[in-house]
Amino acid sequence: MHLGIVKMIGRRILIALPILGVVSVLLFVVLRLLPVDPAAMSMAPNATLEEIAAKRIEMGLDRSLPEQYAIWIGRVLQGDFGTSSHFRRPVIGLVVETLPQTIELVALGIVVATVLGLAGGLWMFHVRGTYQEPVVDFGSTLLMSIPEFLWALFFILLFGVALELLPFVGRLSATYSRPNATGFLLFDALAVGRIDIFLDALRHMVLPALALGIAFAPSIMRVLRSSLLDVYHEDYIHQARLRGIPERTLLTRHALKNAILPTLSLMGVQFGFMFGGTLLVEVIYSYPGMGNLMVDAVRNADLPIIQAVGLTYAAIVLVINTVVDALYLVLNPKLRAAA
Amino acid sequence: MTIKRRSILQAAALGAAGASLPLGQLLAQARDSVTIAWPTDVPSWDPNQRTVPDAQPIYKLVFDQPIFQQPDLTFGPGLFKTWKLSDDGLAFEVEMRDDVTFHDGSKMTAEDFRYSFYERVQAKHAIDVANIWRRVTDIEVHSPTKATMRFGSPYPTAAPWLGFMASYIVPKAYMERVGVEGFREKPIGSGPYRLVEYQLNSRMVLERNDAYWGPKPELRRIIVNVVRDPAARAAAVESGQADVTVNVTVRDAERLARVPTLEAELVPITRLVLLQCRNTGVFNDENVRLAAHHAIDKTALSRAIYGGAAVPLSAPVTPGAPSFEPDFKFDFDVAKAQQLLARSGFNPQNPAKLKMFTTNGHFSGDFDVARAIAQMWRRVGIEAEVEVIEYAKYFELNRGNQLPEVTVYSWDNATGDPEIYAGYMLNPNLPFSAWKEEEIGKMVTALFATTDFAKRIEGYKALQRHAVNKGATIPLLQSIITVARRKPLQMTKYGNGWVLGSTMKWG
């Protein structure tokens, strides 16, 4: 790996640690300010006030806020996110069980958003200045203005109910048992040589991934189009054209390479948001990921889960940003040299 | 791992074939199984752990209860053949069946009963059973099938509680061998189905227990998919991706009922919708409380929000329950409401101002009920500020005396016993009660210790009337559940709303 990239990753990690620290403080303090008593939430509704008071002491809730935070973060650093008040199970186990599923979904969502975004961006660029431009422009605006959960419901009604083409409940059909190894179902299915399970799982992911991806594609389209427009005003494009290079080669080998960099930046930010988009999409599609877990935790005021999932989301966004920056360096020799 | 090109092509062909057939048709091929779209997951596979009403129909497939509640709400033999509460209410003698085995083939005995309801509590397992059965001082085991429960104070409702939430018998030897965590991972019970696959927040696959001691279920396999979104549940049944579901919106239920291949109905159950009242602010004034009650047109609420299926209630008890009094009526009377408010100096120009909490989406129509009542009240001179809260916050706010004058609430009581209606609702010493008052508190405390059934029921009838006539509670409607299923799936209807896979059959 190029030294510049290694240095950049090192710098990113150094910055990420204090950011995660700040996020952890915010999460902890904000949740403690809510009118919810974690001790009471962890007990039966008919628990007496005395039993709840005893539980508060047992959970360390009688101590000052800084003390409580110190205890909590100390445990988190050892991989102990506490016990869920609803499930009464260690939170780390719940996160480990659900995170791979969400990563798989977001990965497919990214593929959908990238394919649609790049194809749409190129199309928008291609029809610039023609009568089709305002139509395509209107279409992309329309796509952008519809939130993920509406897409999710629309796809269920269209592909699930009206056309009966695709499943929209859970991750696998009733006839299949889930192979369990890494938690990544697609990978696990391939690992045990079950292509049928792989395809079935993939079919179950099509609609949620489409709902996630389609909401993010329009931004990619628009940025790619405007980047291409900018690049096409550069001298080297004119010179290349004068040299007689065909338009298609001009686009794919010269313009696109430079125009993709701002698009990549945007995609980095967008994909961070995509994890947030999983909250409602996973609930609507009964998809057993971390978004579903988070919504459940909010409903049950299950603070240990909310804190753990919140921190995990923050860490994921930081990782994605680092990966995008690394890709930036890989694609841009100028930046690589500067790094 | 080796993946051959041929297998990829074969699978792709299969997948393509599958994709070309309507899903409903594919799923309908297996008629010895049923797929249920259920709104919630179980909080854990330890059935003693949490008192979550929606989890009970799932638990009842895998685990058995000492006493079985029947569809008509009466209690009959289950794992217990007989039981008897002593006259002083301090001892509960039971005789268990001798032909019950757990899913691992081990025999169930009275030791398992003792373990589930006493030893686990002593061992400080984090289970709600510890709160429900805190009065148990010991369970004496006389033989493998005979035992006596001892209580520290009279427990007249021991029998209904043994057929209610979290009261399941778990295998002592197995749980001690694998530990609580191990049990949650691989639970075994004595119920009609065995759990063969579980994925958190997604699905449960259950296979028939052919060695079951009770009536054999018709279906070999039950798949429960957790589908939280009501619109997705309705779509799942409509498209054939589920055979049955519950708690879709009333509008969806009415729409699905018109689909020729489906059946959908609105079923009244032992749950009720009420306004939990607190004697604070303008609700310290009895005139305002009674006016608030008289001003609510419950029939109109039922018609507008529940398709007319929710029965208007005058007392906090549902029809069919022992303390229900069909002749007791609290009238909808706008003139009377205005008269009562005028006595306290309030009118539409100078309204009594109060706050009303409600959940939004916790139960069907909750927020709509709050908004409609606020409208009805405005006409007579009560101005309600409606605020949405999360259900999880209700108990915390109640414990901290932070609830406002009224809160729209759904009260669940599968047993139908009046103690778990008016008793828990109005006992100022319990966290369920928003109304805190000494006089009512004394009445309830006395009833909690009354062991004679007939006397107890009469006492609760009097308490219900008293509480309603002084405005300590404002019951609104009998709740309904919506059930939508594919034809010709049949199942037993339970008065408490249970939808049990073990009673389902095709045709």
Side-chain angles (χ1 to χ4, degrees):
Chain A
M1 196 186 291
H2 190 274
L3 187 64
I5 297 175
V6 176
K7 274 186 186 169
M8 186 279 296
I9 292 175
R11 272 200 306 273
R12 278 288 182 183
I13 291 172
L14 281 178
I15 296 168
L17 292 176
I19 291 176
L20 280 175
V22 171
V23 171
S24 73
V25 171
L26 283 175
L27 265 172
F28 190 84
V29 172
V30 169
L31 290 177
R32 285 299 179 280
L33 291 178
L34 291 175
V36 172
D37 182 355
M41 293 309 302
S42 69
M43 303 197 73
N46 62 342
T48 61
L49 294 174
E50 293 75 30
E51 286 165 335
I52 293 165
K55 190 74 180 175
R56 284 181 66 79
I57 294 169
E58 185 192 318
M59 293 172 77
L61 296 169
D62 55 332
R63 301 184 191 200
S64 68
L65 209 57
E67 269 184 289
Q68 287 182 43
Y69 175 76
I71 294 168
W72 175 70
I73 199 71
R75 286 178 183 159
V76 166
L77 290 173
Q78 295 167 42
D80 176 8
F81 284 86
T83 303
S84 152
S85 57
H86 179 66
F87 295 105
R88 295 190 186 159
R89 277 178 60 185
V91 170
I92 187 71
L94 296 165
V95 172
V96 166
E97 199 172 331
T98 53
L99 180 60
Q101 327 247 13
T102 297
I103 290 176
E104 277 187 319
L105 178 61
V106 170
L108 200 61
I110 287 173
V111 171
V112 170
T114 307
V115 170
L116 289 179
L118 294 183
L122 288 172
W123 186 31
M124 285 174 91
F125 179 71
H126 180 67
V127 299
R128 69 191 184 282
T130 70
Y131 72 93
Q132 289 180 46
E133 187 178 15
V135 178
V136 177
D137 202 38
F138 174 77
S140 78
T141 309
L142 189 70
L143 287 183
M144 202 155 54
S145 56
I146 299 174
E148 299 100 330
F149 73 92
L150 274 185
W151 281 119
L153 290 171
F154 173 70
F155 290 148
I156 285 178
L157 293 177
L158 179 66
F159 297 112
V161 178
L163 301 174
E164 291 196 21
L165 271 180
L166 287 164
F168 56 85
V169 175
R171 289 222 64 186
L172 272 181
S173 296
T175 42
Y176 293 114
S177 286
R178 187 192 159 89
N180 266 324
T182 63
F184 291 92
L185 179 57
L186 296 177
F187 178 83
D188 290 344
L190 287 178
V192 296
R194 293 294 300 270
I195 304 291
D196 50 345
I197 293 182
F198 175 84
L199 288 174
D200 188 69
L202 203 57
R203 287 182 67 220
H204 279 78
M205 289 174 74
V206 169
L207 293 185
L210 197 58
L212 274 180
I214 204 163
F216 289 98
S219 320
I220 299 172
M221 291 176 194
R222 285 165 163 261
V223 171
L224 181 64
R225 182 193 52 178
S226 56
S227 298
L228 281 169
L229 287 173
D230 288 344
V231 167
Y232 265 64
H233 284 110
E234 297 283 338
D235 288 344
Y236 74 93
I237 296 288
H238 292 301
Q239 285 162 11
R241 197 173 272 140
L242 288 173
R243 286 207 306 273
I245 294 174
E247 281 300 316
R248 176 172 291 201
T249 314
L250 200 67
L251 175 68
T252 53
R253 296 195 54 185
H254 298 275
L256 196 56
K257 215 169 171 185
N258 284 315
I260 202 80
L261 290 175
T263 316
L264 194 64
S265 267
L266 171 85
M267 283 160 72
V269 177
Q270 296 273 14
F271 297 151
F273 289 141
M274 197 181 272
F275 272 90
T278 58
L279 292 182
L280 286 175
V281 169
E282 286 189 354
V283 168
I284 291 170
Y285 286 102
S286 316
Y287 190 92
M290 213 165 56
N292 210 334
L293 181 72
M294 182 67 150
V295 172
D296 209 25
V298 170
R299 277 184 188 152
N300 294 309
D302 198 334
L303 303 191
I305 292 184
I306 299 173
Q307 285 163 344
V309 175
L311 262 186
T312 310
Y313 275 137
I316 286 169
V317 169
L318 290 171
V319 169
I320 289 175
N321 286 344
T322 308
V323 170
V324 169
D325 285 352
L327 276 175
Y328 228 87
L329 291 187
V330 170
L331 292 173
N332 192 331
K334 265 194 217 168
L335 286 177
R336 203 158 57 225
Chain B
M1 179 188 70
T2 54
I3 301 169
K4 291 178 183 168
R5 195 174 64 163
R6 179 176 294 178
S7 66
I8 293 175
L9 291 173
Q10 281 172 343
L14 274 173
S20 66
L21 276 175
L23 276 172
Q25 213 173 311
L26 280 175
L27 295 173
Q29 283 167 2
R31 279 303 182 232
D32 62 347
S33 69
V34 70
T35 302
I36 304 172
W38 197 251
T40 53
D41 194 359
V42 293
S44 138
W45 278 105
D46 177 350
N48 302 142
Q49 187 179 296
R50 306 280 345 225
T51 49
V52 178
D54 283 347
Q56 303 313 307
I58 309 287
Y59 285 146
K60 286 181 78 69
L61 298 176
V62 180
F63 306 96
D64 279 327
Q65 300 194 277
I67 292 174
F68 280 8
Q69 192 168 13
Q70 307 301 319
D72 65 356
L73 301 181
T74 57
F75 289 90
L79 296 173
F80 290 174
K81 280 160 69 177
T82 60
W83 60 91
K84 188 176 182 301
L85 183 70
S86 63
D87 290 343
D88 60 5
L90 295 172
F92 193 76
E93 281 176 36
V94 305
E95 186 184 356
M96 296 176 68
R97 299 182 67 95
D98 63 356
D99 58 350
V100 180
T101 55
F102 289 108
H103 297 155
D104 63 352
S106 62
K107 209 169 172 74
M108 179 186 287
T109 71
E111 289 294 346
D112 297 300
F113 170 51
R114 185 177 200 272
Y115 178 73
S116 306
F117 291 87
Y118 180 68
E119 290 177 19
R120 294 197 70 190
V121 178
Q122 299 303 307
K124 304 244 178 278
H125 290 187
I127 49 176
D128 287 357
V129 157
N131 296 102
I132 297 166
W133 295 96
R134 64 164 72 89
R135 273 182 266 187
V136 176
T137 53
D138 196 6
I139 295 178
E140 294 161 9
V141 174
H142 310 301
S143 75
T145 56
K146 288 189 176 167
T148 303
M149 258 180 148
R150 301 273 176 205
F151 306 124
S153 57
Y155 205 167
T157 51
W161 271 106
L162 283 165
F164 195 29
M165 289 190 287
S167 293
Y168 298 88
I169 295 185
V170 295
K172 175 181 177 175
Y174 177 73
M175 194 176 263
E176 285 185 338
R177 190 167 70 246
V178 300
V180 177
E181 278 299 320
F183 184 86
R184 288 176 189 159
E185 290 293 316
K186 254 186 157 17
I188 61 166
S190 60
Y193 286 86
R194 291 178 298 114
L195 181 73
V196 293
E197 191 187 327
Y198 170 68
Q199 188 177 13
L200 178 79
N201 281 339
S202 181
R203 75 168 176 174
M204 309 149 217
V205 180
L206 303 132
E207 295 274 2
R208 188 172 53 209
N209 168 20
D210 287 325
Y212 188 54
W213 58 271
K216 301 284 178 294
E218 293 269 337
L219 302 175
R220 187 182 57 80
R221 193 176 162 93
I222 295 175
I223 298 110
V224 182
N225 285 320
V226 179
V227 185
R228 293 188 199 285
D229 186 73
R233 285 199 296 277
V237 171
E238 197 172 2
S239 64
Q241 295 191 36
D243 298 309
V244 58
T245 193
V246 297
N247 284 344
V248 296
T249 62
V250 171
R251 193 178 298 170
D252 270 337
E254 288 169 345
R255 182 176 60 78
L256 294 175
R258 292 192 291 271
V259 177
T261 54
L262 301 178
E263 270 184 275
E265 53 193 332
L266 283 66
V267 186
I269 57 169
T270 51
R271 199 174 288 177
L272 58 92
V273 182
L274 77 159
L275 293 182
Q276 280 279 68
C277 300
R278 202 170 148 241
N279 30 356
T280 185
V282 291
F283 258 41
N284 273 315
D285 184 340
E286 189 173 311
N287 287 334
V288 177
R289 297 195 304 266
L290 292 176
H293 196 170
H294 280 300
I296 299 172
D297 184 350
K298 297 168 189 174
T299 308
L301 279 182
S302 173
R303 217 174 27 238
I305 301 166
Y306 300 107
V311 179
L313 297 177
S314 291
V317 56
T318 56
S323 65
F324 182 73
E325 293 181 286
D327 298 333
F328 175 67
K329 298 279 180 214
F330 193 96
D331 295 329
F332 163 56
D333 189 336
V334 172
K336 197 164 185 181
Q338 285 170 328
Q339 208 176 18
L340 284 163
L341 284 170
R343 271 189 220 160
S344 295
F346 297 116
N347 55 53
Q349 288 71 46
N350 175 36
K353 292 184 180 176
L354 57 85
K355 210 168 197 182
M356 172 160 45
F357 278 177
T358 179
T359 48
N360 189 358
H362 172 62
F363 64 93
S364 176
D366 44 5
F367 184 61
D368 296 332
V369 166
R371 279 197 313 183
I373 289 175
Q375 294 282 346
M376 291 172 184
W377 281 351
R378 190 166 299 147
R379 272 182 273 159
V380 296
I382 298 173
E383 190 180 305
E385 183 192 337
V386 178
E387 188 179 322
V388 174
I389 58 162
E390 285 294 324
Y391 174 68
K393 281 187 195 164
Y394 173 82
F395 287 105
E396 181 50 26
L397 292 169
N398 198 15
R399 279 190 191 104
N401 290 325
Q402 289 173 295
L403 284 180
E405 290 87 346
V406 281
T407 304
V408 177
Y409 195 82
S410 167
W411 192 280
D412 193 48
N413 173 15
T415 68
D417 192 278
E419 180 181 296
I420 303 168
Y421 280 132
Y424 276 57
M425 234 176 250
L426 297 165
N427 186 336
N429 301 317
L430 289 180
F432 301 99
S433 157
W435 184 265
K436 310 282 182 196
E437 192 214 292
E438 203 179 329
E439 185 197 359
I440 284 184
K442 279 182 186 163
M443 289 174 82
V444 179
T445 309
L447 286 167
F448 267 51
T450 305
T451 54
D452 183 280
F453 183 75
K455 256 192 196 167
R456 203 163 67 82
I457 297 303
E458 285 310 311
Y460 274 111
K461 283 179 180 173
L463 171 68
Q464 288 162 191
R465 286 194 299 268
H466 177 72
V468 170
N469 286 330
K470 78 179 298 188
T473 179
I474 302 181
L476 298 172
L477 299 163
Q478 180 178 17
S479 286
I480 49 138
I481 57 160
T482 49
V483 182
R485 61 181 186 271
R486 298 192 75 74
K487 287 177 183 168
L489 186 69
Q490 294 174 2
M491 69 184 92
T492 305
K493 260 192 216 172
Y494 278 78
N496 55 19
W498 286 342
V499 172
L500 298 182
S502 51
T503 70
M504 290 178 188
K505 61 180 180 184
W506 290 100

